[in-house]
Amino acid sequence: MPYMVKRAFPIVFMILLFMLPSCMRRVENSYETISYVDSMLSDSLPALQKIAKAAYKPSGAIFLIGEPLHCLSLSEEMMSFDEFDNVDAKRLQDGLPDFAGETIVSILDFANSPYDSLYSGEKGRQALREVAVRDALAALDTTYHCKVLIVCSPQLAEKGGDDISDFFEKIGCDVPVIYSRDTTFSFPDACYKILREKNLFTHNIAYPVARLLMTVKDSNRPPFTTIGFEDRLVPEYFADTVGVFAPNTFVSYVQNKHKP
């Protein structure tokens, strides 16, 4: 059953879960799904199960979804995060990034930002729940094969985190989902422990690699679609922000964007 970190910890880590602030509640079989999920389960369950089966492998990527600044901030932190010994997992800096060898993919949700002003009231809450599931499905349905999903934005976590966990449960997807509306919650800590406990590290000897995707409005595929990051499609108010706000992420993206 999913908690704040879906299928993330065995009993030894349960104490930590109860100590952490959480916006989560246990998802039961009677969870009231949104119409978008009901429609997909009715029309496309075999295809969704096939996508789910391809995920949750050590060779896969860590996906970040949410508003662009939240994703970039977390990506930047994870690119150089060093709080654990990479050999024995003790909380001791060893000079090696804890996510060495990992691919960190950010889905920058430009199409639906900012959440707080575009999704107010009950109608907005329902719409944001659908946005969360659509972004999660985009993370699954890529060539990078999602192995951990992190919901970076507090609003998206609060409104749609449970929906993602419920959706994954219903399609048989074992990908852990990490989400919290608490802005002090350490996503890198939680992600590292999941990868360690589930033996999901790639064990590649290399620096972390950042990839960037983005959501855009598309009249041919409403309400929005997910594509590779393109500077020309970045909103004017966000110009130059990626390189300035997340330099390590941006440099890695540029260096690796043409590599498989």
Side-chain angles (χ1 to χ4, degrees), residues 54-65:
Y56 193 58
K57 297 177 181 178
S59 58
I62 302 164
F63 271 78
L64 318 181
I65 63 172

Side-chain angles (χ1 to χ4, degrees), residues 172-192:
C173 180
D174 291 324
V175 170
V177 183
I178 307 174
Y179 56 109
S180 175
R181 64 181 178 184
D182 179 8
T183 56
T184 67
F185 180 77
S186 177
F187 291 108
D189 263 29
C191 186
Y192 181 86

